[in-house]
Amino acid sequence: MTVDAIDRRIIAATQSGLPLARAPYAIVAAQLALSEEEVIARIADMQARGIIRRIALAPNHYALGMVANGMSVWDVDDTKAEALGEIIGALPFVSHSYLRPRGPGWPYCLFAMVHGNTRDEVEEKRQIIADILGDACRAHDILYSTRILKKTGMRISGGS
């Protein structure tokens, strides 16, 4: 997949968020000396090619009162991990999930971030995940957040 200089400039201009305005792509276009139509078309093309996965809101869970945030980790049968991971990732209370290789002393391969107002609420949600995983899950744990360290995705520079 190739990304040309204009695509890189669009990514750099939008990666921290879109302007809160009626026509955010028009503002981005003006900043880059492009037309709004070109910005929209290029973003759509980058999404179609898998360069941009999605455009979404990134709420501050703490500001929303969701102060119990836990990364649940699951030791799931490798032959079922991908299919089960997609199911878990689609749950409305899971903000993001992913598969990772196991490491020495670390049996977990499926990760799912769960948010709630209390740890009891997060534990109830974690039980729903455990029920879905069933016998395919050999072990699980949860790592609770104590503070936000990073609330951004990957960043690229605006250069070519």
Side-chain angles (χ1 to χ4, degrees), residues 90-149:
L91 293 170
F93 55 81
V94 172
S95 63
H96 56 282
S97 65
Y98 45 90
L99 295 173
R100 290 286 185 258
R102 303 167 201 280
W106 186 258
Y108 310 108
C109 64
L110 175 61
F111 295 64
M113 190 67 184
V114 179
H115 303 279
N117 294 317
T118 66
R119 285 194 178 191
D120 285 343
E121 181 184 342
V122 171
E123 289 297 333
E124 289 171 13
K125 293 172 179 177
R126 183 166 70 136
Q127 185 58 53
I128 292 169
I129 295 172
D131 292 345
I132 292 168
L133 296 176
D135 293 341
C137 180
R138 296 178 286 250
H140 59 90
D141 204 346
I142 192 161
L143 311 167
Y144 281 100
S145 302
T146 57
R147 61 190 168 119
I148 297 174
L149 297 177

Short mmCIF file of all heavy atoms in Angstrom, two decimals, residues 90-149:
data_model
loop_
_atom_site.label_atom_id
_atom_site.label_comp_id
_atom_site.label_asym_id
_atom_site.label_seq_id
_atom_site.Cartn_x
_atom_site.Cartn_y
_atom_site.Cartn_z
N ALA A 90 -16.94 -6.85 19.26
CA ALA A 90 -18.21 -6.24 18.84
C ALA A 90 -19.14 -5.96 20.01
O ALA A 90 -20.18 -5.32 19.82
CB ALA A 90 -18.90 -7.15 17.83
N LEU A 91 -18.78 -6.41 21.21
CA LEU A 91 -19.65 -6.15 22.36
C LEU A 91 -19.71 -4.65 22.63
O LEU A 91 -18.69 -3.95 22.54
CB LEU A 91 -19.13 -6.88 23.60
CG LEU A 91 -19.21 -8.41 23.55
CD1 LEU A 91 -18.45 -9.03 24.72
CD2 LEU A 91 -20.66 -8.86 23.54
N PRO A 92 -20.88 -4.13 22.99
CA PRO A 92 -21.02 -2.67 23.16
C PRO A 92 -20.19 -2.08 24.29
O PRO A 92 -19.87 -0.90 24.27
CB PRO A 92 -22.52 -2.49 23.42
CG PRO A 92 -23.02 -3.81 23.87
CD PRO A 92 -22.13 -4.84 23.22
N PHE A 93 -19.79 -2.89 25.25
CA PHE A 93 -19.01 -2.38 26.38
C PHE A 93 -17.50 -2.57 26.22
O PHE A 93 -16.74 -2.23 27.11
CB PHE A 93 -19.50 -2.99 27.69
CG PHE A 93 -19.50 -4.50 27.70
CD1 PHE A 93 -18.34 -5.22 27.95
CD2 PHE A 93 -20.67 -5.20 27.48
CE1 PHE A 93 -18.34 -6.59 27.95
CE2 PHE A 93 -20.69 -6.59 27.49
CZ PHE A 93 -19.52 -7.29 27.73
N VAL A 94 -17.07 -3.13 25.09
CA VAL A 94 -15.64 -3.30 24.80
C VAL A 94 -15.23 -2.18 23.85
O VAL A 94 -15.72 -2.10 22.74
CB VAL A 94 -15.36 -4.69 24.19
CG1 VAL A 94 -13.91 -4.79 23.73
CG2 VAL A 94 -15.68 -5.79 25.19
N SER A 95 -14.33 -1.30 24.31
CA SER A 95 -13.94 -0.18 23.46
C SER A 95 -12.92 -0.59 22.41
O SER A 95 -12.91 -0.05 21.32
CB SER A 95 -13.38 0.98 24.30
OG SER A 95 -12.20 0.58 24.97
N HIS A 96 -12.06 -1.53 22.74
CA HIS A 96 -11.13 -2.05 21.75
C HIS A 96 -10.63 -3.42 22.21
O HIS A 96 -10.58 -3.71 23.40
CB HIS A 96 -9.97 -1.09 21.47
CG HIS A 96 -9.19 -0.68 22.68
ND1 HIS A 96 -9.63 0.26 23.58
CD2 HIS A 96 -7.98 -1.08 23.12
CE1 HIS A 96 -8.72 0.42 24.53
NE2 HIS A 96 -7.72 -0.38 24.29
N SER A 97 -10.32 -4.24 21.23
CA SER A 97 -9.79 -5.57 21.52
C SER A 97 -8.79 -5.94 20.45
O SER A 97 -8.83 -5.40 19.34
CB SER A 97 -10.92 -6.60 21.57
OG SER A 97 -11.52 -6.74 20.31
N TYR A 98 -7.90 -6.83 20.79
CA TYR A 98 -6.90 -7.26 19.82
C TYR A 98 -6.26 -8.56 20.27
O TYR A 98 -6.34 -8.95 21.43
CB TYR A 98 -5.83 -6.19 19.60
CG TYR A 98 -5.30 -5.54 20.86
CD1 TYR A 98 -4.21 -6.06 21.53
CD2 TYR A 98 -5.90 -4.40 21.38
CE1 TYR A 98 -3.72 -5.48 22.67
CE2 TYR A 98 -5.41 -3.79 22.52
CZ TYR A 98 -4.32 -4.35 23.17
OH TYR A 98 -3.84 -3.76 24.32
N LEU A 99 -5.63 -9.22 19.32
CA LEU A 99 -4.86 -10.43 19.58
C LEU A 99 -3.39 -10.07 19.63
O LEU A 99 -2.93 -9.24 18.84
CB LEU A 99 -5.10 -11.47 18.47
CG LEU A 99 -6.51 -12.02 18.35
CD1 LEU A 99 -6.63 -12.89 17.11
CD2 LEU A 99 -6.90 -12.80 19.60
N ARG A 100 -2.66 -10.69 20.54
CA ARG A 100 -1.22 -10.47 20.65
C ARG A 100 -0.54 -11.82 20.86
O ARG A 100 -1.13 -12.74 21.45
CB ARG A 100 -0.88 -9.57 21.86
CG ARG A 100 -1.31 -8.14 21.70
CD ARG A 100 -0.36 -7.44 20.72
NE ARG A 100 -0.65 -6.04 20.61
CZ ARG A 100 -1.30 -5.47 19.62
NH1 ARG A 100 -1.78 -6.20 18.64
NH2 ARG A 100 -1.49 -4.18 19.58
N PRO A 101 0.70 -11.94 20.44
CA PRO A 101 1.42 -13.19 20.69
C PRO A 101 1.64 -13.38 22.20
O PRO A 101 1.80 -12.41 22.94
CB PRO A 101 2.77 -12.99 20.00
CG PRO A 101 2.63 -11.77 19.16
CD PRO A 101 1.49 -10.97 19.69
N ARG A 102 1.63 -14.62 22.61
CA ARG A 102 1.93 -14.94 24.01
C ARG A 102 3.42 -14.73 24.25
O ARG A 102 4.22 -14.85 23.33
CB ARG A 102 1.57 -16.38 24.30
CG ARG A 102 0.13 -16.72 24.01
CD ARG A 102 -0.08 -18.24 24.02
NE ARG A 102 -1.27 -18.61 23.29
CZ ARG A 102 -2.51 -18.54 23.76
NH1 ARG A 102 -2.72 -18.10 24.98
NH2 ARG A 102 -3.53 -18.89 23.03
N GLY A 103 3.78 -14.43 25.46
CA GLY A 103 5.19 -14.26 25.80
C GLY A 103 5.59 -15.19 26.93
O GLY A 103 4.73 -15.84 27.54
N PRO A 104 6.87 -15.24 27.23
CA PRO A 104 7.32 -16.09 28.34
C PRO A 104 6.61 -15.68 29.64
O PRO A 104 6.63 -14.52 30.02
CB PRO A 104 8.82 -15.82 28.43
CG PRO A 104 9.18 -15.26 27.08
CD PRO A 104 7.96 -14.54 26.59
N GLY A 105 5.95 -16.64 30.27
CA GLY A 105 5.25 -16.35 31.51
C GLY A 105 3.96 -15.56 31.33
O GLY A 105 3.35 -15.11 32.30
N TRP A 106 3.56 -15.35 30.09
CA TRP A 106 2.35 -14.58 29.79
C TRP A 106 1.49 -15.39 28.82
O TRP A 106 1.71 -15.37 27.62
CB TRP A 106 2.71 -13.23 29.18
CG TRP A 106 1.53 -12.33 28.97
CD1 TRP A 106 0.89 -12.10 27.79
CD2 TRP A 106 0.84 -11.55 29.95
NE1 TRP A 106 -0.16 -11.23 27.99
CE2 TRP A 106 -0.21 -10.87 29.32
CE3 TRP A 106 1.00 -11.38 31.32
CZ2 TRP A 106 -1.09 -10.04 29.98
CZ3 TRP A 106 0.13 -10.53 31.99
CH2 TRP A 106 -0.90 -9.87 31.31
N PRO A 107 0.48 -16.12 29.33
CA PRO A 107 -0.29 -17.02 28.47
C PRO A 107 -1.40 -16.35 27.66
O PRO A 107 -2.03 -17.00 26.84
CB PRO A 107 -0.90 -17.99 29.49
CG PRO A 107 -1.09 -17.16 30.71
CD PRO A 107 0.10 -16.22 30.73
N TYR A 108 -1.63 -15.07 27.88
CA TYR A 108 -2.80 -14.41 27.31
C TYR A 108 -2.56 -13.93 25.88
O TYR A 108 -1.52 -13.36 25.59
CB TYR A 108 -3.22 -13.24 28.19
CG TYR A 108 -3.34 -13.64 29.65
CD1 TYR A 108 -2.41 -13.20 30.58
CD2 TYR A 108 -4.36 -14.48 30.06
CE1 TYR A 108 -2.52 -13.58 31.90
CE2 TYR A 108 -4.47 -14.88 31.38
CZ TYR A 108 -3.53 -14.42 32.30
OH TYR A 108 -3.64 -14.81 33.61
N CYS A 109 -3.55 -14.17 25.02
CA CYS A 109 -3.43 -13.75 23.63
C CYS A 109 -4.55 -12.81 23.19
O CYS A 109 -4.41 -12.09 22.21
CB CYS A 109 -3.40 -14.96 22.70
SG CYS A 109 -4.94 -15.92 22.70
N LEU A 110 -5.66 -12.79 23.92
CA LEU A 110 -6.80 -11.94 23.58
C LEU A 110 -6.94 -10.86 24.64
O LEU A 110 -6.98 -11.17 25.83
CB LEU A 110 -8.09 -12.77 23.48
CG LEU A 110 -9.40 -12.01 23.24
CD1 LEU A 110 -9.37 -11.24 21.92
CD2 LEU A 110 -10.58 -12.97 23.28
N PHE A 111 -7.01 -9.60 24.19
CA PHE A 111 -7.12 -8.46 25.09
C PHE A 111 -8.41 -7.72 24.76
O PHE A 111 -8.72 -7.53 23.58
CB PHE A 111 -5.95 -7.50 24.88
CG PHE A 111 -4.60 -8.06 25.25
CD1 PHE A 111 -4.06 -9.14 24.57
CD2 PHE A 111 -3.87 -7.49 26.26
CE1 PHE A 111 -2.82 -9.65 24.88
CE2 PHE A 111 -2.61 -7.99 26.60
CZ PHE A 111 -2.09 -9.07 25.91
N ALA A 112 -9.15 -7.29 25.78
CA ALA A 112 -10.39 -6.55 25.56
C ALA A 112 -10.54 -5.49 26.66
O ALA A 112 -10.61 -5.83 27.84
CB ALA A 112 -11.59 -7.49 25.57
N MET A 113 -10.59 -4.22 26.26
CA MET A 113 -10.73 -3.12 27.22
C MET A 113 -12.19 -2.94 27.57
O MET A 113 -13.04 -2.78 26.70
CB MET A 113 -10.17 -1.82 26.61
CG MET A 113 -10.05 -0.70 27.61
SD MET A 113 -8.79 -1.12 28.82
CE MET A 113 -8.92 0.25 29.93
N VAL A 114 -12.47 -2.98 28.88
CA VAL A 114 -13.83 -2.87 29.39
C VAL A 114 -13.90 -1.65 30.31
O VAL A 114 -13.03 -1.45 31.15
CB VAL A 114 -14.22 -4.15 30.17
CG1 VAL A 114 -15.61 -4.04 30.74
CG2 VAL A 114 -14.10 -5.38 29.27
N HIS A 115 -14.96 -0.86 30.15
CA HIS A 115 -15.14 0.35 30.95
C HIS A 115 -16.41 0.25 31.77
O HIS A 115 -17.40 -0.35 31.33
CB HIS A 115 -15.25 1.58 30.04
CG HIS A 115 -14.07 1.74 29.14
ND1 HIS A 115 -12.89 2.31 29.55
CD2 HIS A 115 -13.87 1.38 27.86
CE1 HIS A 115 -12.03 2.30 28.55
NE2 HIS A 115 -12.60 1.73 27.51
N GLY A 116 -16.39 0.85 32.96
CA GLY A 116 -17.58 0.88 33.79
C GLY A 116 -17.49 1.95 34.84
O GLY A 116 -16.43 2.56 35.05
N ASN A 117 -18.60 2.19 35.53
CA ASN A 117 -18.62 3.19 36.60
C ASN A 117 -18.01 2.65 37.88
O ASN A 117 -17.52 3.41 38.71
CB ASN A 117 -20.07 3.65 36.86
CG ASN A 117 -20.62 4.40 35.67
OD1 ASN A 117 -19.95 5.23 35.07
ND2 ASN A 117 -21.84 4.10 35.30
N THR A 118 -18.05 1.32 38.05
CA THR A 118 -17.47 0.68 39.23
C THR A 118 -16.75 -0.59 38.79
O THR A 118 -17.01 -1.13 37.72
CB THR A 118 -18.57 0.28 40.25
OG1 THR A 118 -19.40 -0.73 39.65
CG2 THR A 118 -19.41 1.50 40.66
N ARG A 119 -15.89 -1.07 39.66
CA ARG A 119 -15.22 -2.34 39.35
C ARG A 119 -16.22 -3.49 39.32
O ARG A 119 -16.05 -4.43 38.55
CB ARG A 119 -14.09 -2.61 40.34
CG ARG A 119 -12.88 -1.74 40.06
CD ARG A 119 -11.67 -2.23 40.79
NE ARG A 119 -10.52 -1.38 40.44
CZ ARG A 119 -9.29 -1.67 40.75
NH1 ARG A 119 -9.01 -2.78 41.43
NH2 ARG A 119 -8.30 -0.87 40.40
N ASP A 120 -17.25 -3.41 40.15
CA ASP A 120 -18.28 -4.46 40.11
C ASP A 120 -18.94 -4.52 38.74
O ASP A 120 -19.19 -5.60 38.21
CB ASP A 120 -19.35 -4.22 41.19
CG ASP A 120 -18.86 -4.56 42.59
OD1 ASP A 120 -17.84 -5.28 42.71
OD2 ASP A 120 -19.50 -4.10 43.56
N GLU A 121 -19.20 -3.34 38.16
CA GLU A 121 -19.80 -3.30 36.82
C GLU A 121 -18.85 -3.91 35.79
O GLU A 121 -19.27 -4.69 34.92
CB GLU A 121 -20.13 -1.86 36.44
CG GLU A 121 -20.77 -1.71 35.08
CD GLU A 121 -21.01 -0.25 34.69
OE1 GLU A 121 -21.00 0.64 35.56
OE2 GLU A 121 -21.20 -0.02 33.48
N VAL A 122 -17.57 -3.59 35.88
CA VAL A 122 -16.58 -4.16 34.96
C VAL A 122 -16.50 -5.66 35.15
O VAL A 122 -16.43 -6.42 34.17
CB VAL A 122 -15.21 -3.47 35.15
CG1 VAL A 122 -14.12 -4.21 34.36
CG2 VAL A 122 -15.27 -2.01 34.73
N GLU A 123 -16.55 -6.13 36.39
CA GLU A 123 -16.50 -7.57 36.65
C GLU A 123 -17.72 -8.28 36.06
O GLU A 123 -17.60 -9.40 35.53
CB GLU A 123 -16.38 -7.86 38.14
CG GLU A 123 -15.02 -7.50 38.72
CD GLU A 123 -13.86 -8.30 38.15
OE1 GLU A 123 -14.05 -9.46 37.70
OE2 GLU A 123 -12.74 -7.77 38.12
N GLU A 124 -18.89 -7.65 36.11
CA GLU A 124 -20.09 -8.24 35.48
C GLU A 124 -19.89 -8.37 33.97
O GLU A 124 -20.25 -9.38 33.37
CB GLU A 124 -21.32 -7.37 35.77
CG GLU A 124 -21.79 -7.44 37.21
CD GLU A 124 -22.88 -6.41 37.52
OE1 GLU A 124 -23.44 -5.81 36.57
OE2 GLU A 124 -23.16 -6.21 38.72
N LYS A 125 -19.31 -7.35 33.37
CA LYS A 125 -19.05 -7.38 31.93
C LYS A 125 -17.99 -8.43 31.59
O LYS A 125 -18.09 -9.12 30.57
CB LYS A 125 -18.63 -5.99 31.44
CG LYS A 125 -19.77 -4.98 31.53
CD LYS A 125 -19.30 -3.57 31.22
CE LYS A 125 -20.46 -2.58 31.30
NZ LYS A 125 -20.02 -1.21 31.08
N ARG A 126 -17.00 -8.53 32.46
CA ARG A 126 -15.97 -9.54 32.23
C ARG A 126 -16.57 -10.95 32.30
O ARG A 126 -16.18 -11.83 31.54
CB ARG A 126 -14.83 -9.39 33.25
CG ARG A 126 -13.71 -10.38 33.00
CD ARG A 126 -12.46 -10.05 33.74
NE ARG A 126 -12.57 -10.24 35.16
CZ ARG A 126 -11.63 -10.83 35.90
NH1 ARG A 126 -10.52 -11.28 35.34
NH2 ARG A 126 -11.77 -10.96 37.19
N GLN A 127 -17.55 -11.15 33.16
CA GLN A 127 -18.21 -12.45 33.24
C GLN A 127 -18.97 -12.77 31.96
O GLN A 127 -19.01 -13.92 31.52
CB GLN A 127 -19.15 -12.52 34.45
CG GLN A 127 -19.77 -13.89 34.66
CD GLN A 127 -18.72 -14.98 34.85
OE1 GLN A 127 -17.85 -14.86 35.70
NE2 GLN A 127 -18.78 -16.03 34.04
N ILE A 128 -19.55 -11.74 31.34
CA ILE A 128 -20.24 -11.94 30.05
C ILE A 128 -19.23 -12.45 29.01
O ILE A 128 -19.51 -13.38 28.25
CB ILE A 128 -20.93 -10.64 29.59
CG1 ILE A 128 -22.09 -10.31 30.53
CG2 ILE A 128 -21.39 -10.75 28.14
CD1 ILE A 128 -22.68 -8.92 30.33
N ILE A 129 -18.05 -11.85 29.00
CA ILE A 129 -17.00 -12.28 28.07
C ILE A 129 -16.61 -13.72 28.37
O ILE A 129 -16.50 -14.56 27.46
CB ILE A 129 -15.77 -11.35 28.13
CG1 ILE A 129 -16.14 -9.96 27.63
CG2 ILE A 129 -14.61 -11.93 27.32
CD1 ILE A 129 -15.05 -8.90 27.83
N ALA A 130 -16.41 -14.03 29.66
CA ALA A 130 -16.03 -15.40 30.04
C ALA A 130 -17.08 -16.40 29.58
O ALA A 130 -16.74 -17.49 29.09
CB ALA A 130 -15.83 -15.48 31.55
N ASP A 131 -18.35 -16.04 29.71
CA ASP A 131 -19.43 -16.94 29.28
C ASP A 131 -19.38 -17.17 27.77
O ASP A 131 -19.61 -18.28 27.29
CB ASP A 131 -20.79 -16.39 29.68
CG ASP A 131 -21.02 -16.40 31.20
OD1 ASP A 131 -20.26 -17.08 31.92
OD2 ASP A 131 -21.94 -15.69 31.65
N ILE A 132 -19.09 -16.11 27.01
CA ILE A 132 -18.99 -16.25 25.55
C ILE A 132 -17.81 -17.13 25.16
O ILE A 132 -17.92 -18.00 24.30
CB ILE A 132 -18.87 -14.86 24.88
CG1 ILE A 132 -20.19 -14.09 25.04
CG2 ILE A 132 -18.48 -15.00 23.41
CD1 ILE A 132 -20.09 -12.62 24.66
N LEU A 133 -16.68 -16.94 25.83
CA LEU A 133 -15.48 -17.72 25.50
C LEU A 133 -15.61 -19.18 25.92
O LEU A 133 -15.05 -20.07 25.26
CB LEU A 133 -14.24 -17.08 26.14
CG LEU A 133 -13.89 -15.68 25.64
CD1 LEU A 133 -12.72 -15.12 26.42
CD2 LEU A 133 -13.61 -15.67 24.15
N GLY A 134 -16.34 -19.42 26.98
CA GLY A 134 -16.61 -20.78 27.42
C GLY A 134 -15.36 -21.63 27.58
O GLY A 134 -14.33 -21.17 28.09
N ASP A 135 -15.43 -22.87 27.09
CA ASP A 135 -14.33 -23.83 27.24
C ASP A 135 -13.09 -23.46 26.42
O ASP A 135 -12.03 -24.05 26.64
CB ASP A 135 -14.79 -25.24 26.83
CG ASP A 135 -15.84 -25.79 27.79
OD1 ASP A 135 -15.94 -25.28 28.93
OD2 ASP A 135 -16.56 -26.73 27.39
N ALA A 136 -13.23 -22.53 25.48
CA ALA A 136 -12.06 -22.12 24.68
C ALA A 136 -11.09 -21.29 25.51
O ALA A 136 -9.95 -21.08 25.11
CB ALA A 136 -12.52 -21.31 23.46
N CYS A 137 -11.55 -20.81 26.67
CA CYS A 137 -10.71 -19.98 27.55
C CYS A 137 -10.14 -20.84 28.67
O CYS A 137 -10.87 -21.50 29.40
CB CYS A 137 -11.54 -18.83 28.13
SG CYS A 137 -10.58 -17.77 29.22
N ARG A 138 -8.81 -20.79 28.78
CA ARG A 138 -8.14 -21.58 29.81
C ARG A 138 -7.83 -20.77 31.06
O ARG A 138 -7.72 -21.32 32.15
CB ARG A 138 -6.85 -22.15 29.24
CG ARG A 138 -7.11 -23.13 28.09
CD ARG A 138 -5.82 -23.65 27.50
NE ARG A 138 -5.16 -22.63 26.71
CZ ARG A 138 -5.06 -22.66 25.38
NH1 ARG A 138 -5.56 -23.66 24.71
NH2 ARG A 138 -4.44 -21.70 24.73
N ALA A 139 -7.66 -19.45 30.91
CA ALA A 139 -7.35 -18.58 32.05
C ALA A 139 -7.63 -17.14 31.64
O ALA A 139 -7.68 -16.81 30.45
CB ALA A 139 -5.88 -18.73 32.45
N HIS A 140 -7.83 -16.29 32.63
CA HIS A 140 -8.06 -14.88 32.34
C HIS A 140 -7.69 -14.04 33.56
O HIS A 140 -7.57 -14.54 34.67
CB HIS A 140 -9.49 -14.61 31.89
CG HIS A 140 -10.54 -15.00 32.89
ND1 HIS A 140 -11.01 -14.15 33.85
CD2 HIS A 140 -11.19 -16.17 33.04
CE1 HIS A 140 -11.93 -14.78 34.57
NE2 HIS A 140 -12.05 -16.01 34.11
N ASP A 141 -7.52 -12.76 33.32
CA ASP A 141 -7.20 -11.82 34.39
C ASP A 141 -7.67 -10.45 33.91
O ASP A 141 -8.15 -10.30 32.78
CB ASP A 141 -5.70 -11.81 34.67
CG ASP A 141 -5.36 -11.34 36.08
OD1 ASP A 141 -6.25 -10.76 36.76
OD2 ASP A 141 -4.22 -11.54 36.52
N ILE A 142 -7.50 -9.46 34.77
CA ILE A 142 -7.84 -8.10 34.36
C ILE A 142 -6.83 -7.15 34.98
O ILE A 142 -6.39 -7.34 36.12
CB ILE A 142 -9.29 -7.74 34.75
CG1 ILE A 142 -9.72 -6.43 34.07
CG2 ILE A 142 -9.46 -7.68 36.25
CD1 ILE A 142 -11.22 -6.22 34.01
N LEU A 143 -6.43 -6.18 34.21
CA LEU A 143 -5.47 -5.17 34.65
C LEU A 143 -6.21 -3.84 34.69
O LEU A 143 -6.60 -3.31 33.65
CB LEU A 143 -4.29 -5.11 33.66
CG LEU A 143 -3.67 -6.46 33.31
CD1 LEU A 143 -2.74 -6.32 32.12
CD2 LEU A 143 -2.93 -7.03 34.50
N TYR A 144 -6.43 -3.31 35.89
CA TYR A 144 -7.19 -2.07 36.03
C TYR A 144 -6.30 -0.85 35.83
O TYR A 144 -5.16 -0.82 36.31
CB TYR A 144 -7.86 -2.00 37.40
CG TYR A 144 -9.12 -2.83 37.46
CD1 TYR A 144 -9.11 -4.08 38.05
CD2 TYR A 144 -10.30 -2.36 36.90
CE1 TYR A 144 -10.26 -4.85 38.08
CE2 TYR A 144 -11.45 -3.13 36.92
CZ TYR A 144 -11.42 -4.37 37.52
OH TYR A 144 -12.56 -5.12 37.54
N SER A 145 -6.85 0.13 35.14
CA SER A 145 -6.14 1.40 34.92
C SER A 145 -6.18 2.21 36.21
O SER A 145 -7.18 2.22 36.93
CB SER A 145 -6.82 2.22 33.82
OG SER A 145 -6.86 1.50 32.62
N THR A 146 -5.10 2.93 36.46
CA THR A 146 -5.08 3.85 37.59
C THR A 146 -4.99 5.30 37.12
O THR A 146 -5.27 6.21 37.87
CB THR A 146 -3.89 3.55 38.53
OG1 THR A 146 -2.67 3.61 37.78
CG2 THR A 146 -4.03 2.16 39.16
N ARG A 147 -4.60 5.48 35.85
CA ARG A 147 -4.56 6.82 35.25
C ARG A 147 -4.40 6.66 33.75
O ARG A 147 -4.04 5.60 33.26
CB ARG A 147 -3.45 7.67 35.83
CG ARG A 147 -2.07 7.11 35.61
CD ARG A 147 -1.02 7.88 36.42
NE ARG A 147 0.22 7.15 36.40
CZ ARG A 147 1.34 7.61 35.90
NH1 ARG A 147 1.39 8.82 35.39
NH2 ARG A 147 2.43 6.90 35.92
N ILE A 148 -4.70 7.74 33.03
CA ILE A 148 -4.55 7.73 31.57
C ILE A 148 -3.12 8.13 31.24
O ILE A 148 -2.65 9.20 31.65
CB ILE A 148 -5.53 8.73 30.92
CG1 ILE A 148 -6.97 8.31 31.19
CG2 ILE A 148 -5.27 8.81 29.42
CD1 ILE A 148 -7.99 9.32 30.69
N LEU A 149 -2.43 7.29 30.51
CA LEU A 149 -1.08 7.60 30.07
C LEU A 149 -1.05 8.09 28.64
O LEU A 149 -0.21 8.87 28.26
CB LEU A 149 -0.17 6.38 30.21
CG LEU A 149 0.02 5.85 31.63
CD1 LEU A 149 0.86 4.59 31.61
CD2 LEU A 149 0.66 6.91 32.51
#
